[in-house]
Amino acid sequence: MRPRRPILIVHGDAKTRRLVHRILGATFAPVRAVADLDEAAPDLAEVPPFLVVAEQAQLASERGQSLLAQGRDGQGPACLVLLEDGDVDLGMLASGSLTNLLTNPLPLFAEDLTITALKLLHRDIFGLEKYLSWGVEAEVHDLADPGERPDLVTAIGGHVEAAGLGSRVAHHASLIADELLSNAAHSTSGSVRLRYACDGRYLAIEVSDPAGDLRRETIMRSLTKAISRGIGKIEMRGRGAGIGLAAVYGACNHLVFNLAPGRRTEVIGLIDVRFRPAELGTTTPSFGLFWDRGSE
Amino acid sequence: MSEVAHHTDAKLVVTRDDRAAQQVVTLRGQIDDDAHLEGVATDLDRPVVVDLEGITFMNSLGVRAWVLFLDALRQRNIPVTLRRCAETVVDHMNMIMEARGHAGIESFYAPYTCDACGLETRALLEVSRHGEALRRHQPPQLPCSACGGTMSYDDIPNRSLLFLD
């Protein structure tokens, strides 16, 4: 019988390593926790993990870069960085090798870490419900005509503000919906669906379309634009300005891409409504890239 | 003396006041896909103040239109001062350096929360008054209009005040 693929934790701090081990062990997937990638080498060769959870410095090493390169080809494990402080390595981000970044402080990232691992473990990636508590029902709107977008965007902003979530959250929700709907409407002739829901922790805004042509390079370029300083980010000609996804990332606490190439694209923007930005203190939003690999 | 109103579209109202030494352009509404500000720039011929308090929404195509507007003025060496920048404009200026361009900032709205009663609001910060503290990324505390307590800046200065650098 083929052994079950494990989760590999690579972290130099023993206390964090044990905490993350306890969180991920609760998924009942096999978990191996090591201090560095050299220690992990024999395990990586024997039974490759489906998920590597690491501190950023570990993946910046030569062995880490090699591991990330496998992920870039879509063959290796998902690579998740826990960013406890400091900034994300823009080179690592721009190269398109990370699949997940969690930046919430301990212990808040525990929920997101568990959800990420379970999505990968069960190969079931779609749906905003995975990020919300049981019983929450989503508002659903199908956008048959791109001309309906402004009214829909105004409606979601009004709905969120009326719910008491505040004008800043309402504004960010409107921006996320607007940019995601605009992107989706331009990439498909089919119907685009907007769903949103809130459970008192996250306001989740999801846009999906049946085209499935959002590329990893586009995503990574957008995320890099959002958190880097510099000029020349805007495309001054053409259909789009090239900063829509970057603006969405900047408006979220956590941005999730669920991709089935050629079949479906789903993007979920999550805004933390429990904690205000100053309370969270994180300067970089989390993100997650998930691929539906069918029945491989 | 003249005061001219341009209605670029139903969502954005542009008003120009030529009565002072500086021309004052006031934008109200949404800067989005339908915003075309080049014509507004063409009509300006001396230092201009742009009042952005009434901007309620700005998307990525709106940012492009705004950058084109600023760039048209920069190319003609017309100084620009931004007054009462709405938070949505500040968000974009923090991410896109060209969204501030060559403009100076006179004042902007920032999120504040009362430590005592929890009121969440926005406060107008004057750069001439708080500039030194803002440049150190230490925004001031302000009195709460609801309870008289102390309101604190409610964002991460290292991220949200980059546009002032």
Side-chain angles (χ1 to χ4, degrees), chain A residues 55-260:
Chain A
E55 59 182 330
Q56 183 164 258
Q58 297 290 338
L59 292 180
S61 68
E62 192 176 332
R63 204 181 282 277
Q65 291 297 311
S66 168
L67 187 66
L68 287 167
Q70 295 173 34
R72 200 155 52 235
D73 298 334
Q75 301 303 315
C79 287
L80 184 152
V81 158
L82 296 173
L83 193 70
E84 289 121 290
D85 52 34
D87 297 321
V88 65
D89 182 325
L90 286 176
M92 192 184 291
L93 188 63
S95 69
S97 40
L98 279 187
T99 56
N100 299 76
L101 175 73
L102 292 183
T103 61
N104 271 343
L106 278 166
L108 296 179
F109 72 63
E111 293 147 307
D112 293 327
L113 186 59
T114 303
I115 293 164
T116 299
L118 289 174
K119 284 176 68 165
L120 293 165
L121 183 66
H122 297 307
R123 297 182 178 179
D124 178 6
I125 63 172
F126 291 102
L128 56 70
E129 288 82 357
K130 293 183 173 60
Y131 293 88
L132 302 174
S133 304
W134 177 85
V136 171
E137 289 189 9
E139 292 281 325
V140 184
H141 299 274
D142 289 320
L143 189 77
D145 175 356
E148 297 169 1
R149 175 168 58 95
D151 288 342
L152 203 46
V153 169
T154 302
I156 186 174
H159 196 174
V160 168
E161 190 147 14
L165 297 177
S167 59
R168 178 165 46 176
V169 172
H171 166 253
H172 285 162
S174 297
L175 183 65
I176 291 165
D178 181 80
E179 299 290 355
L180 294 182
L181 286 169
S182 177
N183 277 356
H186 279 104
S187 64
T188 180
S189 55
S191 182
V192 173
R193 172 163 285 189
L194 167 72
R195 302 197 307 148
Y196 61 95
C198 187
D199 69 347
R201 178 201 177 203
Y202 273 142
L203 170 64
I205 301 138
E206 171 199 292
V207 172
S208 59
D209 71 73
D213 68 350
L214 186 56
R215 300 172 65 86
R216 177 199 282 255
E217 296 77 19
T218 306
I219 293 169
M220 287 307 184
R221 193 166 54 243
S222 297
L223 302 187
T224 307
K225 279 182 182 179
I227 57 177
S228 63
R229 291 287 281 167
I231 60 172
K233 296 176 181 175
I234 305 180
E235 292 168 19
M236 301 310 286
R237 292 185 179 81
R239 176 178 61 75
I243 53 170
L245 270 183
V248 168
Y249 187 45
C252 289
N253 293 94
H254 192 160
L255 183 58
V256 178
F257 299 87
N258 298 321
L259 309 173

Side-chain angles (χ1 to χ4, degrees), chain A residues 149 179 232-233 235 238 276, chain B residues 33 60 64 88 95 98 154:
Chain A
R149 175 168 58 95
E179 299 290 355
K233 296 176 181 175
E235 292 168 19
R276 300 189 306 275
Chain B
D33 314 30
S60 58
R64 181 162 76 181
T88 179
M95 192 179 81
E98 295 98 320
D154 193 9

